[in-house]
Amino acid sequence: MDTSAPHSGWRLLVSRDDLSTTTLETAPVPEVQPGEALLRVDRVGLTANNVTYAALGDSFRYWEFFPAPDGWGTVPVWGFAEVVASRAAGVTPGTRVYGYLPSGSHLLVRPGRADERGFRDAAPHRAELPSTYNRYASTTHDPGYAADREDLQVLYRPLFWTSFLLADWLADQELFGARAVVLSSASSKTAYGTAFELREHRERHGTAEGPDGPDGHEIVGLTSPRNRAFTESLGCYDRVLTYDETGLLSLERPAVYADFAGDEALTAALRAHLGGALAYHVTVGVTHQEPAPAGSLAEAGSGTETRASSGTGMFFAPVQLRKRVGDWGRDGLGERFGEAWQRFGAAVESWVDVMHGHGGEALQRVWHDVQSGRSTPRTGHVLTL
Ligand SMILES: NC(=O)c1ccc[n+]([C@@H]2O[C@H](COP(=O)([O-])OP(=O)(O)OC[C@H]3O[C@@H](n4cnc5c(N)ncnc54)[C@H](OP(=O)(O)O)[C@@H]3O)[C@@H](O)[C@H]2O)c1
């Protein structure tokens, strides 16, 4: 066992009732017991998606991954960590892993199914939570890993998985018969990643003639006025409208609405305007921080899309992930995703200004910026902790 682990750690706690109230707590670094390993959290990204984890923390059980004192929550973040101590078979100190981490300095895990590709945290409190979030992949055996692209990976990879799977799912559903896809919070990384993928699908499936060809569909982004220029500059959308311009959506083209904003007033306006031309409404996120929709991870995991007949549903990426693992196998899916990620990664480099911060106080500041919506969509916050 490596004894070089520091004796003091910290975590950022967020009040579950008021996400703008936070505190930095210091605590001793946990002792590593037999069967356990200690991770030192190193490099993580913070975007609106992490705020959504907090906003839906109770109903979707996100607070349960990294338990905190009553009334408080530890927000999950994606990133890299290093194994600094291990009493678990097959897990060696010095290994660098990528996975779901707490917004704090350390994570004690109980590795299961450990091999050279990584391990899963088999801690009892995580047993019933979706397995996608419990896996820690060793960088040495991850084909998608590149040491000089860690910033892009922590910012985009978890989001682009959703973009990739959402575009794939929409294509799989033949867009519910729609001729337009409308995406809200179009300036968000997950939404424009989805638009990027929808364009790829359109080009790959013989509809290169674009939105106006016989089988073409239009990809429309909805955003706030301050983010319109940025959203247009990406070139992912055929058309960008601001939230007060939903009246300009065509009634001639039935539309599927991929909702990243979760804004009830916006949804009502869209429904009122489109009426029967709204073919399907899928909720993907709540950047506008509406109250949590009813449901749970377990419910969602058992088949969100089955609500298709009602014309509305939640998108939960692990469901489509499981389907594609069944259709294509793990390697087939990995290959397809890898190709898509290469294309997107190359494009996205010029769309983001990475801002680096270091330590707990920087993390706390960035949390407040992202949670309040003050952060600009061009900024990608990466923190080394
Ligand atoms: N279901 C899933 O599996 C899944 C997976 C990944 C992400 N998501 C969801 O996708 C959404 C986007 O996440 P992201 O990480 O890609 O976001 P991001 O890049 O950080 O998005 C930033 C944009 O979100 C909007 N926004 C952020 N905070 C806001 C606030 N406080 N008030 C109003 N608008 C705000 C603004 O866009 P506009 O001005 O354009 O509205 C802003 O430009 C999140 O809700 C996330 O949970 C869902």
Side-chain angles (χ1 to χ4, degrees):
M1 174 182 164
D2 183 347
T3 51
S4 66
H7 298 291
S8 169
W10 59 267
R11 60 184 171 174
L12 177 67
L13 296 174
V14 172
S15 165
R16 293 191 188 199
D17 294 335
D18 171 10
L19 301 183
S20 64
T21 300
T22 61
T23 182
L24 274 177
E25 183 196 68
T26 51
V29 174
E31 288 279 321
V32 180
Q33 302 300 328
E36 294 177 340
L38 183 66
L39 306 186
R40 176 74 175 90
V41 180
D42 180 24
R43 181 180 302 259
V44 302
L46 196 74
T47 71
N49 186 41
N50 305 97
V51 179
T52 304
Y53 289 148
L56 304 183
D58 286 318
S59 54
F60 276 63
R61 302 177 66 182
Y62 290 117
W63 291 133
E64 294 180 36
F65 286 91
F66 309 115
D70 268 1
W72 295 93
T74 310
V75 177
V77 287
W78 289 94
F80 293 97
E82 196 162 314
V83 178
V84 287
S86 174
R87 298 179 72 185
V91 177
T92 321
T95 303
R96 193 166 179 76
V97 293
Y98 170 78
Y100 207 50
L101 298 164
S103 43
S105 60
H106 293 83
L107 174 65
L108 191 67
V109 290
R110 176 164 284 278
R113 292 198 222 137
D115 61 22
E116 73 281 0
R117 290 190 297 184
F119 57 85
R120 63 185 285 270
D121 184 4
H125 72 277
R126 292 177 72 162
E128 293 191 352
L129 301 171
S131 56
T132 325
Y133 298 106
N134 291 338
R135 174 100 198 128
Y136 293 88
S138 164
T139 55
T140 51
H141 285 74
D142 176 356
Y145 176 73
D148 59 349
R149 290 166 77 89
E150 283 199 351
D151 287 345
L152 283 188
Q153 181 165 345
V154 298
L155 276 173
Y156 282 97
R157 204 152 152 195
L159 306 177
F160 190 64
W161 261 112
T162 296
S163 303
F164 172 82
L165 291 165
L166 174 59
D168 173 59
W169 175 72
L170 286 168
D172 214 17
Q173 306 296 320
E174 298 180 338
L175 299 184
F176 299 91
R179 298 281 317 279
V181 183
V182 179
L183 301 92
S184 58
S185 273
S187 67
S188 71
K189 296 169 190 63
T190 318
Y192 66 69
T194 307
F196 182 92
E197 276 300 281
L198 286 168
R199 284 186 93 97
E200 284 291 323
H201 279 270
R202 197 168 67 185
E203 280 164 29
R204 227 174 312 134
H205 295 289
T207 48
E209 71 277 10
D212 297 321
D215 299 317
H217 56 267
E218 189 182 33
I219 304 164
V220 184
L222 299 179
T223 187
S224 29
R226 73 183 181 118
N227 293 330
R228 179 183 202 146
F230 169 79
T231 309
E232 282 174 340
S233 75
L234 301 172
C236 293
Y237 300 95
D238 297 314
R239 208 148 58 107
V240 175
L241 301 175
T242 54
Y243 291 126
D244 56 2
E245 291 177 336
T246 51
L248 299 178
L249 288 169
S250 164
L251 297 177
E252 309 294 307
R253 290 176 177 271
V256 55
Y257 177 39
D259 183 7
F260 292 80
D263 182 326
E264 282 176 20
L266 173 65
T267 301
L270 211 114
R271 280 185 178 280
H273 171 67
L274 288 176
L278 181 61
Y280 195 78
H281 171 183
V282 58
T283 301
V284 190
V286 286
T287 56
H288 293 205
Q289 294 181 46
E290 291 296 313
S296 71
L297 282 182
E299 246 181 52
S302 65
T304 35
E305 296 92 324
T306 56
R307 292 183 227 162
S309 57
S310 69
T312 177
M314 293 280 303
F315 182 74
F316 189 61
V319 177
Q320 183 69 1
L321 183 85
R322 264 200 300 275
K323 176 176 188 289
R324 288 316 198 185
V325 168
D327 294 343
W328 300 333
R330 223 164 247 294
D331 290 346
L333 173 63
E335 220 168 274
R336 283 172 165 87
F337 177 77
E339 284 165 13
W341 170 247
Q342 292 301 333
R343 283 192 303 271
F344 183 68
V348 90
E349 255 169 322
S350 60
W351 297 349
V352 65
D353 295 329
V354 175
M355 292 261 289
H356 291 104
H358 177 69
E361 283 173 14
L363 176 66
Q364 191 171 31
R365 265 196 313 276
V366 169
W367 169 262
H368 288 295
D369 275 1
V370 175
Q371 190 269 331
S372 63
R374 279 196 300 270
S375 198
T376 71
R378 230 199 121 75
T379 304
H381 292 286
V382 172
L383 294 122
T384 47
L385 302 184

